Amino acid sequence: MKPYISLQLLHLGKKSATEEMMTGQHPGLGKFASLPLELRDLVWDQLPLESRLSLVRVSRQVCAEISPRIYKNIALQFSIQPKYQDQSWLRVESSSEKQWLLQNVDDACKRSFNKIPFQQLKRIRIMIEAPDKEDQGQIICLFKKCLDLAGLLENAIHGLPDVEIVLVESASSNWTVRGKPQESIDLDQATFSHDYLIVLLAFSRVRNARSATISSPVESEEGNFLIQHFAQAWTGKVPFEQNLNPNAPWNDQELREELDRVFVDLDTELHLLPGHTADLMRLDRFAL
């Protein structure tokens, strides 16, 4: 049973000398600052989540005090599909059962997703659905969606929480074909030509995660090695493109070159690819 907090604690009478001092230290909390931190914490804990989320807008002091208590139990799940849909980027779900359908990066910023204190969250999970090899444009669409999400996460000033990427298969699409990694488009000069490596490469700019794990149905010695090093890179403290140590598991200059090469190769392939998704992406490009 939660302890009962009497409203008499928030009396409106004349302030004592202690109250005056505490209120001066935390002017954004008003008379509430006269309570010891332990009692304030009890009050915060009894409020419904929606009320706490509303309170973060009251003042900077309230936001600083209450936000760690709000976000530490919240996990966000980003779901990315390979199919192209106009004004549809990805779906976000929270552990508090809220959902958002984001149209694009601009829409995410308008909804303040770029201002979320990601480092205070419990976890971020990114669910990536496998592309259909018969519709080759899907891997390009998926790569671009992942690239945009990576850009949003890369700009998290104070870092990221535990990050988990899950490569999901469906009844009609898989990350493997007859036990081997699927390769929707033949990229001759690219080290990362398998579909699952292309989407993981899109997140190569992400750094400063508390921890990182990748769940993949692809089983191979080379794949497991690359997945392990991707996860290590995401937990690195040095920002992307600043780690140029040739002895490190990742050299950011080489990684940037590979990322640029895959981007250009996929963009070039889009000009000639058949299929529904490629057609829609070309139309969208010409409409801009």
Side-chain angles (χ1 to χ4, degrees):
M1 180 181 296
K2 293 182 178 179
Y4 173 71
I5 303 298
S6 171
L7 291 179
Q8 291 180 353
L9 289 170
L10 306 179
H11 65 276
L12 300 177
K14 184 179 179 180
K15 295 180 182 178
S16 65
T18 301
E19 289 176 323
E20 292 282 2
M21 180 185 68
M22 295 300 296
T23 302
Q25 291 176 351
H26 305 282
L29 296 178
K31 292 179 179 294
F32 197 48
S34 62
L35 291 178
L37 177 61
E38 292 79 7
L39 287 180
R40 298 204 300 269
D41 286 344
L42 290 176
V43 175
W44 298 136
D45 287 343
Q46 292 187 76
L47 293 174
L49 177 60
E50 290 297 324
S51 298
R52 283 183 275 172
L53 288 172
S54 298
L55 281 171
V56 298
R57 304 184 184 93
V58 170
S59 70
R60 291 183 179 179
Q61 286 83 4
V62 171
C63 180
E65 181 163 313
I66 198 174
S67 61
R69 308 186 67 82
I70 295 174
Y71 294 111
K72 69 178 181 179
N73 294 317
I74 292 181
L76 289 182
Q77 178 170 296
F78 297 85
S79 299
I80 308 177
Q81 294 185 332
K83 296 180 180 178
Y84 176 88
Q85 290 179 299
D86 186 40
Q87 298 299 305
S88 178
W89 174 31
L90 51 78
R91 184 177 75 253
V92 186
E93 300 171 77
S94 76
S95 51
S96 60
E97 300 184 348
K98 280 203 168 284
Q99 292 190 23
W100 301 266
L101 295 175
L102 301 181
Q103 297 178 5
N104 47 44
V105 176
D106 288 341
D107 183 38
C109 292
K110 288 178 182 177
R111 301 192 194 193
S112 298
F113 273 85
N114 59 325
K115 298 179 181 178
I116 292 176
F118 286 108
Q119 81 285 359
Q120 295 180 17
L121 296 176
K122 181 179 181 180
R123 180 181 62 250
I124 290 175
R125 177 179 290 132
I126 304 171
M127 310 288 286
I128 308 174
E129 185 179 317
D132 183 355
K133 186 179 181 181
E134 301 304 315
D135 185 6
Q136 294 173 292
Q138 287 193 13
I139 184 59
I140 302 177
C141 183
L142 199 58
F143 175 72
K144 291 182 179 294
K145 288 181 177 181
C146 290
L147 206 58
D148 285 342
L149 178 56
L152 186 69
L153 298 178
E154 180 188 16
N155 291 323
I157 298 175
H158 300 293
L160 297 168
D162 300 331
V163 176
E164 179 185 8
I165 289 186
V166 182
L167 302 182
V168 183
E169 298 188 327
S170 67
S172 59
S173 58
N174 300 278
W175 293 102
T176 60
V177 178
R178 293 185 291 276
K180 296 183 178 181
Q182 176 171 282
E183 190 171 313
S184 296
I185 301 174
D186 184 13
L187 302 178
D188 293 332
Q189 303 301 317
T191 303
F192 301 92
S193 58
H194 297 142
D195 290 354
Y196 81 105
L197 291 178
I198 286 175
V199 298
L200 293 180
L201 180 65
F203 290 97
S204 60
R205 304 180 335 213
V206 173
R207 294 291 185 275
N208 205 18
R210 191 162 57 223
S211 71
T213 57
I214 301 170
S215 299
S216 168
V218 180
E219 290 291 340
S220 71
E221 185 175 344
E222 179 187 13
N224 292 339
F225 175 81
L226 291 171
I227 284 175
Q228 179 183 358
H229 283 289
F230 268 124
Q232 287 180 354
W234 296 340
T235 57
K237 303 303 179 185
V238 179
F240 181 58
E241 294 192 292
Q242 293 187 24
N243 181 13
L244 304 179
N245 182 358
N247 298 319
W250 288 114
N251 181 293
D252 283 349
Q253 182 175 350
E254 295 177 358
L255 204 54
R256 163 56 74 183
E257 290 173 357
E258 191 64 30
L259 186 61
D260 290 344
R261 182 183 299 114
V262 169
F263 182 92
V264 171
D265 286 351
L266 291 178
D267 205 52
T268 302
E269 291 286 342
L270 184 59
H271 289 291
L272 302 174
L273 280 182
H276 179 69
T277 299
D279 288 342
L280 291 176
M281 292 184 71
R282 283 192 291 267
L283 287 173
D284 181 67
R285 175 186 290 176
F286 294 140
L288 296 177

